[in-house]
Amino acid sequence: AALAVCLGLGLAAARVSAPIVRGDARVSPVAALARVPADLRARPVFNSYGLGGYLIFNGVRPFIDGRTDMYGDAFNARYDAAAGQERAALDAVLQDDRIAWTMLDPAAPAVRWLDAESGWRRLYADRYAVIHVRAPGRR
């Protein structure tokens, strides 16, 4: 038993001495978020569902995250429409919620829509996330 305790303590000490370093991944777009200026991070964001937890982890208030039960059916339906089913729904969310920037999965239909929108410009893109920001002077 003493040997098991010592082994457990040794493994715990080894784990604590080597912290987890997150790298870019589907749910942790490290490089993408690093490109967002601090003042912009404090403004409203529209994000892909799977990126919400990473935003929270980094002190950014997401539009949506994995706790969908907390948002309610109406909000979830509005998000689903804006995230990929209806361009008009996306335009409404961007306007009504005063969205200043987006962090979306590269495959999201909203990425193509924002690329074509004169009021938005790409700030960053990689295989994990695409970030758009409002063009200067646009509300």
Side-chain angles (χ1 to χ4, degrees):
L3 180 61
V5 169
C6 287
L7 182 60
L9 289 173
L11 289 173
R15 176 65 201 100
V16 169
S17 67
I20 295 174
V21 177
R22 286 214 185 267
D24 276 320
R26 188 176 55 80
V27 294
S28 59
V30 176
L33 189 58
R35 293 290 183 98
V36 179
D39 61 323
L40 187 57
R41 288 183 190 199
R43 300 187 60 208
V45 61
F46 181 78
N47 61 281
S48 290
Y49 173 85
L51 302 176
Y54 184 71
L55 291 172
I56 291 170
F57 180 76
N58 285 279
V60 176
R61 183 177 179 193
F63 186 82
I64 195 166
D65 61 73
R67 303 169 296 171
T68 56
D69 57 318
M70 293 178 53
Y71 292 100
D73 292 340
F75 181 90
N76 288 320
R78 183 173 175 244
Y79 170 78
D80 287 342
Q85 297 172 8
E86 304 169 25
R87 182 166 180 164
L90 175 64
D91 291 341
V93 166
L94 297 175
Q95 177 77 23
D96 297 346
D97 292 79
R98 299 179 184 260
I99 301 298
W101 62 291
T102 66
M103 180 181 272
L104 300 169
D105 181 289
V111 169
R112 292 187 308 279
W113 298 338
L114 291 169
D115 282 342
E117 182 64 42
S118 64
W120 291 84
R121 68 174 179 83
R122 272 192 188 208
L123 176 70
Y124 179 83
D126 64 22
R127 67 184 186 166
Y128 301 112
V130 177
I131 297 175
H132 285 89
V133 296
R134 281 199 185 271
R138 301 293 181 138
R139 295 179 2 150

